[in-house]
Amino acid sequence: MSVENKKLRRKLDRLFVPLTVGPTLVWIAAIIVYPTVQLLLSSLQFRNPITNEMQFVGLRNFQRLLFAREGGSAVLGVFNPNFVSFTANTVVYVGFSVTISFLLGLGIALLLNKDLKGRGWLRTAVIVPWIMPYVMSGLMWRWMFQTEYGAINGVLTQFGIIADNIPFLSDGTLAMMALIVADVWVFTPFIIIILLAGLQNVPEQLYDAAEVDGASRWSRFWNVTYPFLKPSILVALTIRIIFDIRALDLVWVMTGGGPGKATEVWASWLYRTAQVFNEPGPGAALGVVLLATTFVIVAVLYSVFGDSPYNA
Amino acid sequence: MSTKQSTLNRIRQALGMETQNEWPTVARERLVTYALLGIYVVVIWFPIYYIFITSIKPSSEVLSVPITFIPQQPTVQNYVDIFANRPFEHYTFNSVIVATTTTVICVTLGTLTGYSFSRFDFFGNKTLLLSIVGARMIPPIALIVPFFQIMSNPPLIGGFTGSLYDTRVALILTYTFFNLPFAVWIMKNYFDGVPESLDEQAKIDGCSTWEAFFKIILPMAKPGIAATAILAFIFSWNEFVFALVLTSSEVSQTLPIAVSLFVADDFVDWAHLAAGGIIAALPGILFGLFFQQYIVSGLTQGAVKE
């Protein structure tokens, strides 16, 4: 090999990192950093309905969202009733969905972790709901809960459990329950996958030892499985919570936030504000609130339960 | 007398003690496990079954009481109808183009960048990696306002491209926003699992960094690449929110939007919606059936760091 050639190769080698990392960083700057900066700027602006221009309004969008209004100005200290009720809806929706799907997912993961014939097929059968488009799942469940022709009323009436069809989606509480059912159906597979992976970290000898010691099932889970599973549980719960707060698909196609505003959550409120009502300023302000909430939740979860994010 | 033996019996055997017949307990436990899993699978597949049979029922049967759980007159008419009466070939084409292009971009950049993050110490690499990973926490829905503004009136390239609203390009650019960080992260973790001694050996054999990467390491990373590609494809194929915000006609609308369009204000065309829904869900279901292990490993690599 000639000296020239060697020099060229060394030069090219030195360019490896800049050429492989550079494009990604530029791309990310353009597609993530720039829109995020733009979000912060938009949240401080309001679209003038007459000229259609965006005008700087400071923190007024946030005041409008968070606080009640009287005579056109925000009353600090008194919360906007919409904000209170949509936040409550979000907490109920996320709280119940995450808790139920976590317990269910943990149970199924523990069962699937056993040495079974056909485990691969069972695992496939179990994760399919998560792979389907959320929109399709949402509409599918809307169809299941449909009053006259839905399968749930169909099964209940044909087995004689109820006499009259239940109008699931036109009652506020029932609609929220239906949404939670759909959400649990969609996202439990995610919990199962993460926890099944975590269960591989539990050393088998420890089970053996516990069995020899005559430990009960519960104490075996609590003292052997749980400590090894804890990092996976943290990851699963964190991702599950932050992905549920931002989820629009299911709510939008299943209930559209209704009946009335009974299932309006942050995500649907944000979409309605920004797109349906064409108010980009307040919409962006809600986006900032959502973004900040996400970071706070992750920070709290990890400072309480774990060491550092993504370092499970 | 092999795998079915309990630990206690294995120990008893090792100590030369008499083993106990545990068969009834073991068998019962197995039976309970299968029964529970069986019930679970039947329950979660029931809605999929119900939407599928809806898609092969004539509309008159779909809207009749008592509802039937076995289609009386199965037909593919609903599937024929949606391609005949609605531009479903456009929607399908858009979905394929958008998901494939997004996947290619994310896998290419993700693989190259992931490798560098895995192998090299360079200026600010830890901080950069952490911010790339942190970017995954940004809720996409929070950014619908800026993305709508940016795509309607793109900065820098705007004079050249004009508005990108209602184009497939807008969707592709947007979808890389949540798939690229994920791709970098999975590939970085995957390369971490490929022994560095392989790179060193290649270099001793006279390979440049480029050659070592392309000839030795990349072929070994195929399972990681497959996992990344499948997940990026599924995520892009299923995406709804940005498609809702950034598209308005069949020029760029994808299948999830097409399915939602069957919902009119007060009337839902369930039979045709079901057919469209099945088409939209098909790639995901097929990937799930045939590439389950890649999906699982990709998700695990992406979420949990060893």
Side-chain angles (χ1 to χ4, degrees), chain A residues 215-249:
Chain A
S216 71
R217 231 170 247 265
W218 177 244
S219 116
R220 253 184 285 167
F221 173 78
W222 203 239
N223 295 312
V224 180
T225 313
Y226 176 72
F228 286 93
L229 202 55
K230 201 179 143 196
S232 303
I233 292 176
L234 184 57
V235 167
L237 283 181
T238 310
I239 297 184
R240 186 76 182 75
I241 292 170
I242 67 175
F243 274 58
D244 234 18
I245 299 176
R246 64 175 67 164
L248 174 70
D249 315 33

Side-chain angles (χ1 to χ4, degrees), chain A residues 150-167:
Chain A
I152 298 190
N153 274 326
V155 169
L156 291 176
T157 48
Q158 287 181 26
F159 279 96
I161 299 170
I162 54 168
D164 297 311
N165 287 330
I166 301 171

Side-chain angles (χ1 to χ4, degrees), chain B:
Chain B
M1 286 298 272
S2 53
T3 51
K4 294 216 174 65
Q5 254 190 6
S6 76
T7 316
L8 269 180
N9 260 351
R10 286 204 304 272
I11 293 168
R12 288 192 186 104
Q13 205 169 29
L15 296 174
M17 289 158 68
E18 211 170 300
T19 56
Q20 282 172 14
N21 183 6
E22 291 168 322
W23 180 230
T25 357
V26 175
R28 208 181 57 202
E29 207 178 301
R30 261 170 191 258
L31 208 67
V32 171
T33 306
Y34 277 119
L36 289 175
L37 285 172
I39 293 168
Y40 181 75
V41 168
V42 168
V43 169
I44 65 164
W45 274 77
F46 178 64
I48 302 178
Y49 170 76
Y50 190 62
I51 195 113
F52 173 71
I53 60 167
T54 303
S55 79
I56 56 166
K57 284 178 184 177
S59 288
S60 57
E61 194 185 332
V62 169
L63 299 181
S64 69
V65 189
I67 60 169
T68 50
F69 289 102
I70 292 158
Q72 304 300 305
Q73 308 143 298
T75 167
V76 291
Q77 193 57 41
N78 296 326
Y79 291 87
V80 176
D81 285 351
I82 59 173
F83 280 93
N85 303 336
R86 290 175 181 247
F88 250 73
E89 71 278 11
H90 286 279
Y91 300 139
T92 312
F93 181 74
N94 292 337
S95 274
V96 171
I97 294 288
V98 169
T100 314
T101 316
T102 308
T103 306
V104 170
I105 294 172
C106 292
V107 168
T108 310
L109 290 176
T111 307
L112 291 167
T113 310
Y115 179 74
S116 278
F117 273 117
S118 164
R119 291 297 193 268
F120 301 107
D121 250 328
F122 51 91
F123 172 75
N125 62 339
K126 289 220 173 88
T127 321
L128 283 174
L129 184 65
L130 207 69
S131 18
I132 290 179
V133 174
R136 282 182 54 205
M137 287 197 291
I138 299 174
I141 183 135
L143 296 183
I144 56 175
V145 169
F147 268 100
F148 180 76
Q149 292 169 336
I150 290 167
M151 292 307 170
S152 305
N153 186 12
L156 296 179
I157 54 166
F160 171 65
T161 58
S163 169
L164 290 174
Y165 178 74
D166 200 19
T167 63
R168 291 186 292 261
V169 174
L171 289 185
I172 293 165
L173 289 172
T174 312
Y175 291 178
T176 58
F177 141 63
F178 42 86
N179 283 312
L180 183 56
F182 191 65
V184 170
W185 183 242
I186 302 184
M187 288 315 297
K188 190 251 170 203
N189 282 344
Y190 196 87
F191 285 124
D192 282 349
V194 176
E196 214 163 329
S197 56
L198 288 171
D199 308 47
E200 281 153 22
Q201 188 58 46
K203 289 201 183 131
I204 292 168
D205 293 346
C207 286
S208 67
T209 309
W210 294 92
E211 285 167 335
F213 173 67
F214 280 107
K215 287 188 185 153
I216 312 293
I217 307 301
L218 200 56
M220 299 201 59
K222 272 183 199 155
I225 294 171
T228 313
I230 289 169
L231 284 173
F233 188 90
I234 293 177
F235 289 151
S236 321
W237 182 274
N238 293 348
E239 206 283 333
F240 175 69
V241 175
F242 281 115
L244 192 63
V245 172
L246 297 176
T247 68
S248 60
S249 73
E250 76 255 27
V251 173
S252 63
Q253 280 172 330
T254 52
L255 283 171
I257 298 296
V259 178
S260 74
L261 290 178
F262 284 103
V263 181
D265 281 339
D266 49 357
F267 174 76
V268 186
D269 181 0
W270 287 109
H272 293 101
L273 182 151
I278 293 289
I279 291 177
L282 210 55
I285 294 181
L286 291 178
F287 275 128
L289 291 180
F290 296 108
F291 301 112
Q292 177 249 115
Q293 71 271 34
Y294 290 113
I295 295 172
V296 170
S297 79
L299 264 192
T300 318
Q301 298 264 8
V304 195
K305 194 192 162 196
E306 279 303 321

Side-chain angles (χ1 to χ4, degrees), chain A residues 96-109 112 123 125-131 134 180-196 236 240 244 250, chain B residues 40 44 299:
Chain A
F96 277 99
S97 302
V98 171
T99 310
I100 297 170
S101 70
F102 173 73
L103 294 175
L104 192 60
L106 176 64
I108 300 295
L112 275 174
R123 221 159 55 163
V126 161
I127 68 174
V128 161
W130 182 76
I131 307 171
Y134 302 155
I180 292 168
V181 168
D183 190 277
V184 168
W185 184 86
V186 170
F187 291 105
T188 303
F190 175 77
I191 304 265
I192 297 175
I193 293 173
I194 301 296
L195 294 189
L196 254 183
R240 186 76 182 75
D244 234 18
L250 284 178
Chain B
Y40 181 75
I44 65 164
L299 264 192

